[in-house]
Amino acid sequence: MTRHAERVTQPRPQERAPTSERTVSIFIGSAVSRDTEGKPRAGGGIWYGQENPRNMALQLLDNEPQTFQRAEIAATLIAVQQTARDQPLEIYNSKSLVGKELNQRLQAREDRGWVGMADRDLLQALAAKLRARTAQTKFCNVDARTQDSTHLALQGRREALTLAREGCLHGEQTLINLYIAPADQLRGAKLSTLTQAVAYAGIKERREPVARRTTANNIKLISAAIQQVFSLCPTPMEIWKSIRHKDFSRQVKNFLWKSVHGAHRIGSFWTHIPECGERATCSFCNETEDLEHVLIKCRRPGQTQIWSLAKNLWLRKHHTWPEPSLGSALGCGLAIFKNERGKISPGLTRLYRILISESIFIIWKIRNDTVINRAGEPVPENLIHNKWLQAINLRLTFDRILTNHAKYGKQNSIKSCLVLQTWSSTLLNEDSLPGDWIKQPRVLVGIEPKSSHPSSQPSGRRGRGR
């Protein structure tokens, strides 16, 4: 179905120049791929027609965010710049990202001075260019799932996407003209609609971000680990976004954010405080107790056992276990696992995120219980085992609850198929469970808890007389 959105630019009658030229139809496509080094690449495609010399495959510059939306806006801006001002124009795309921004949200964006808006440099230039046109401009959305779309529209959509994919890997990086005439440029926010929150956000944007050496080193560490384990080269923006992944609990998100910033009170933090230098050293290993030592290298009971439990549960579902490192643990939100056909496996990837994030957080909590609350006394192995098992079973229970109950909101709900894909092959007595086990009253992962009683004595009551 080809839907015509509200007209974006309706020039005033006295400004419209009479023209007899036919309407120009332009098809826009966008795509994101990764190059041979694993770096993300975004490209756009502009298709005018078969064997048209103006067909273009463009690639975003290295210093720009590599996203679908930015590639589509860039391609749209170039197409508008290459079209005469007095020539009617129809722009077709498959996602209608640009049409929604310009038709429905443009006024609100300009009223708040574009504060906090992504890709505002491109959108501002595009809005100014459209306002300067004297002919009509339409944005059209092509939906391939309906029978109302014309053959030309579907063909244009396919050709534009082909050009966009070609631009991701082989297109030339395009420098886009972002010049806005002073008469068309709007500066600042509209005072009558300005709020304190928008004003505060605008002030923060004007400040230069504070450079933190520890944060920069951790970002590089995560990027190198993800590239080594998963053959990806994430950008800093992707790393920060992965820390807020919806598969993580709120406590885990806070822990990861502090970890990347080096905000935990461990290791070198204590060396700068008088009479507290001994706290920088692990009392069990006699080594500097930085975050890598706590999560990966420490020989204190708990860390090795938890990684062993996570590995055993993972091997029930997958044949290989990526050995954890500090970078891969902090960047587990970027992990990607593929099936035999080479496509991303959502269930396998989600299980890995849950196992790694919950494991490192349990290790951290056990370390705090050992060092602070128990004055260095080791936590019993059976308690460590049961704590980890309780955390994983709690995540499984939450998945079942959020699937069965819509009252928790659409944002928190999880599709039942994703829950089944995540936990299949890891459950206790799974052969006796039905295919759709989500509504079963009690479902647990396939690791038994450990009893706290000595093995030489039977379980139950003991130590009482007759």
mmCIF file of all heavy atoms in Angstrom, residues 232-249:
data_model
loop_
_atom_site.group_PDB
_atom_site.id
_atom_site.type_symbol
_atom_site.label_atom_id
_atom_site.label_comp_id
_atom_site.label_asym_id
_atom_site.label_seq_id
_atom_site.Cartn_x
_atom_site.Cartn_y
_atom_site.Cartn_z
ATOM 1 N N LEU A 232 33.188 -8.368 16.424
ATOM 2 C CA LEU A 232 32.487 -7.100 16.261
ATOM 3 C C LEU A 232 33.392 -5.976 16.753
ATOM 4 O O LEU A 232 34.237 -6.193 17.620
ATOM 5 C CB LEU A 232 31.171 -7.080 17.044
ATOM 6 C CG LEU A 232 30.147 -8.171 16.715
ATOM 7 C CD1 LEU A 232 28.976 -8.077 17.681
ATOM 8 C CD2 LEU A 232 29.660 -8.041 15.286
ATOM 9 N N CYS A 233 33.191 -4.803 16.215
ATOM 10 C CA CYS A 233 33.962 -3.623 16.638
ATOM 11 C C CYS A 233 32.979 -2.529 17.033
ATOM 12 O O CYS A 233 32.660 -1.651 16.239
ATOM 13 C CB CYS A 233 34.889 -3.157 15.517
ATOM 14 S SG CYS A 233 36.041 -1.867 16.029
ATOM 15 N N PRO A 234 32.461 -2.582 18.249
ATOM 16 C CA PRO A 234 31.410 -1.629 18.637
ATOM 17 C C PRO A 234 31.960 -0.223 18.836
ATOM 18 O O PRO A 234 33.111 -0.024 19.227
ATOM 19 C CB PRO A 234 30.895 -2.213 19.965
ATOM 20 C CG PRO A 234 32.076 -2.945 20.528
ATOM 21 C CD PRO A 234 32.814 -3.502 19.339
ATOM 22 N N THR A 235 31.123 0.744 18.572
ATOM 23 C CA THR A 235 31.459 2.138 18.839
ATOM 24 C C THR A 235 31.193 2.446 20.314
ATOM 25 O O THR A 235 30.460 1.715 20.990
ATOM 26 C CB THR A 235 30.617 3.061 17.960
ATOM 27 O OG1 THR A 235 29.222 2.877 18.295
ATOM 28 C CG2 THR A 235 30.827 2.754 16.481
ATOM 29 N N PRO A 236 31.796 3.512 20.848
ATOM 30 C CA PRO A 236 31.494 3.877 22.245
ATOM 31 C C PRO A 236 30.006 4.080 22.492
ATOM 32 O O PRO A 236 29.500 3.727 23.569
ATOM 33 C CB PRO A 236 32.285 5.182 22.435
ATOM 34 C CG PRO A 236 33.432 5.068 21.493
ATOM 35 C CD PRO A 236 32.883 4.333 20.290
ATOM 36 N N MET A 237 29.279 4.645 21.527
ATOM 37 C CA MET A 237 27.839 4.827 21.694
ATOM 38 C C MET A 237 27.131 3.488 21.844
ATOM 39 O O MET A 237 26.218 3.335 22.675
ATOM 40 C CB MET A 237 27.269 5.601 20.501
ATOM 41 C CG MET A 237 25.785 5.899 20.606
ATOM 42 S SD MET A 237 25.158 6.838 19.197
ATOM 43 C CE MET A 237 25.420 5.658 17.867
ATOM 44 N N GLU A 238 27.536 2.486 21.064
ATOM 45 C CA GLU A 238 26.925 1.163 21.169
ATOM 46 C C GLU A 238 27.256 0.507 22.505
ATOM 47 O O GLU A 238 26.423 -0.215 23.076
ATOM 48 C CB GLU A 238 27.397 0.282 20.012
ATOM 49 C CG GLU A 238 26.858 0.696 18.656
ATOM 50 C CD GLU A 238 27.422 -0.146 17.529
ATOM 51 O OE1 GLU A 238 28.600 -0.562 17.620
ATOM 52 O OE2 GLU A 238 26.700 -0.383 16.547
ATOM 53 N N ILE A 239 28.450 0.740 23.024
ATOM 54 C CA ILE A 239 28.829 0.168 24.324
ATOM 55 C C ILE A 239 27.977 0.762 25.432
ATOM 56 O O ILE A 239 27.442 0.037 26.284
ATOM 57 C CB ILE A 239 30.323 0.397 24.581
ATOM 58 C CG1 ILE A 239 31.162 -0.410 23.582
ATOM 59 C CG2 ILE A 239 30.693 0.001 26.010
ATOM 60 C CD1 ILE A 239 32.647 -0.166 23.678
ATOM 61 N N TRP A 240 27.815 2.082 25.429
ATOM 62 C CA TRP A 240 26.996 2.706 26.468
ATOM 63 C C TRP A 240 25.535 2.284 26.351
ATOM 64 O O TRP A 240 24.849 2.095 27.367
ATOM 65 C CB TRP A 240 27.116 4.231 26.372
ATOM 66 C CG TRP A 240 28.433 4.765 26.832
ATOM 67 C CD1 TRP A 240 29.361 5.414 26.090
ATOM 68 C CD2 TRP A 240 28.968 4.701 28.161
ATOM 69 N NE1 TRP A 240 30.449 5.746 26.856
ATOM 70 C CE2 TRP A 240 30.237 5.322 28.130
ATOM 71 C CE3 TRP A 240 28.508 4.167 29.356
ATOM 72 C CZ2 TRP A 240 31.042 5.437 29.258
ATOM 73 C CZ3 TRP A 240 29.308 4.271 30.489
ATOM 74 C CH2 TRP A 240 30.558 4.898 30.427
ATOM 75 N N LYS A 241 25.068 2.118 25.130
ATOM 76 C CA LYS A 241 23.681 1.679 24.944
ATOM 77 C C LYS A 241 23.496 0.245 25.438
ATOM 78 O O LYS A 241 22.442 -0.098 25.985
ATOM 79 C CB LYS A 241 23.298 1.782 23.467
ATOM 80 C CG LYS A 241 21.845 1.481 23.189
ATOM 81 C CD LYS A 241 21.517 1.672 21.719
ATOM 82 C CE LYS A 241 20.052 1.353 21.435
ATOM 83 N NZ LYS A 241 19.714 1.541 19.993
ATOM 84 N N SER A 242 24.501 -0.616 25.253
ATOM 85 C CA SER A 242 24.372 -2.013 25.675
ATOM 86 C C SER A 242 24.282 -2.143 27.187
ATOM 87 O O SER A 242 23.709 -3.104 27.695
ATOM 88 C CB SER A 242 25.570 -2.819 25.157
ATOM 89 O OG SER A 242 26.770 -2.464 25.842
ATOM 90 N N ILE A 243 24.856 -1.197 27.927
ATOM 91 C CA ILE A 243 24.791 -1.260 29.389
ATOM 92 C C ILE A 243 23.354 -1.097 29.878
ATOM 93 O O ILE A 243 22.984 -1.627 30.930
ATOM 94 C CB ILE A 243 25.714 -0.178 29.987
ATOM 95 C CG1 ILE A 243 27.175 -0.533 29.706
ATOM 96 C CG2 ILE A 243 25.499 -0.006 31.483
ATOM 97 C CD1 ILE A 243 28.147 0.534 30.148
ATOM 98 N N ARG A 244 22.527 -0.417 29.105
ATOM 99 C CA ARG A 244 21.117 -0.219 29.479
ATOM 100 C C ARG A 244 20.204 -1.216 28.766
ATOM 101 O O ARG A 244 19.014 -0.927 28.578
ATOM 102 C CB ARG A 244 20.685 1.207 29.140
ATOM 103 C CG ARG A 244 21.543 2.292 29.751
ATOM 104 C CD ARG A 244 20.964 3.674 29.523
ATOM 105 N NE ARG A 244 20.823 3.975 28.111
ATOM 106 C CZ ARG A 244 21.763 4.534 27.356
ATOM 107 N NH1 ARG A 244 22.940 4.825 27.892
ATOM 108 N NH2 ARG A 244 21.553 4.788 26.081
ATOM 109 N N HIS A 245 20.743 -2.369 28.407
ATOM 110 C CA HIS A 245 19.946 -3.348 27.670
ATOM 111 C C HIS A 245 18.763 -3.823 28.503
ATOM 112 O O HIS A 245 18.846 -3.968 29.732
ATOM 113 C CB HIS A 245 20.822 -4.542 27.283
ATOM 114 C CG HIS A 245 20.279 -5.329 26.133
ATOM 115 N ND1 HIS A 245 19.228 -6.211 26.270
ATOM 116 C CD2 HIS A 245 20.627 -5.362 24.823
ATOM 117 C CE1 HIS A 245 18.962 -6.760 25.102
ATOM 118 N NE2 HIS A 245 19.790 -6.266 24.205
ATOM 119 N N LYS A 246 17.646 -4.053 27.835
ATOM 120 C CA LYS A 246 16.420 -4.438 28.540
ATOM 121 C C LYS A 246 16.509 -5.820 29.173
ATOM 122 O O LYS A 246 15.692 -6.149 30.045
ATOM 123 C CB LYS A 246 15.236 -4.390 27.579
ATOM 124 C CG LYS A 246 15.362 -5.349 26.402
ATOM 125 C CD LYS A 246 14.172 -5.239 25.471
ATOM 126 C CE LYS A 246 14.286 -6.194 24.293
ATOM 127 N NZ LYS A 246 13.137 -6.078 23.381
ATOM 128 N N ASP A 247 17.490 -6.634 28.768
ATOM 129 C CA ASP A 247 17.658 -7.949 29.387
ATOM 130 C C ASP A 247 18.334 -7.879 30.747
ATOM 131 O O ASP A 247 18.401 -8.890 31.447
ATOM 132 C CB ASP A 247 18.475 -8.863 28.471
ATOM 133 C CG ASP A 247 17.720 -9.255 27.217
ATOM 134 O OD1 ASP A 247 16.466 -9.170 27.237
ATOM 135 O OD2 ASP A 247 18.353 -9.634 26.219
ATOM 136 N N PHE A 248 18.857 -6.725 31.140
ATOM 137 C CA PHE A 248 19.523 -6.569 32.426
ATOM 138 C C PHE A 248 18.545 -6.038 33.465
ATOM 139 O O PHE A 248 17.681 -5.219 33.156
ATOM 140 C CB PHE A 248 20.710 -5.599 32.321
ATOM 141 C CG PHE A 248 21.793 -6.049 31.373
ATOM 142 C CD1 PHE A 248 22.553 -5.120 30.697
ATOM 143 C CD2 PHE A 248 22.039 -7.392 31.170
ATOM 144 C CE1 PHE A 248 23.559 -5.522 29.824
ATOM 145 C CE2 PHE A 248 23.030 -7.807 30.308
ATOM 146 C CZ PHE A 248 23.788 -6.874 29.635
ATOM 147 N N SER A 249 18.722 -6.472 34.694
ATOM 148 C CA SER A 249 17.935 -5.913 35.790
ATOM 149 C C SER A 249 18.462 -4.527 36.138
ATOM 150 O O SER A 249 19.551 -4.121 35.731
ATOM 151 C CB SER A 249 18.018 -6.834 37.010
ATOM 152 O OG SER A 249 19.357 -6.918 37.476
#
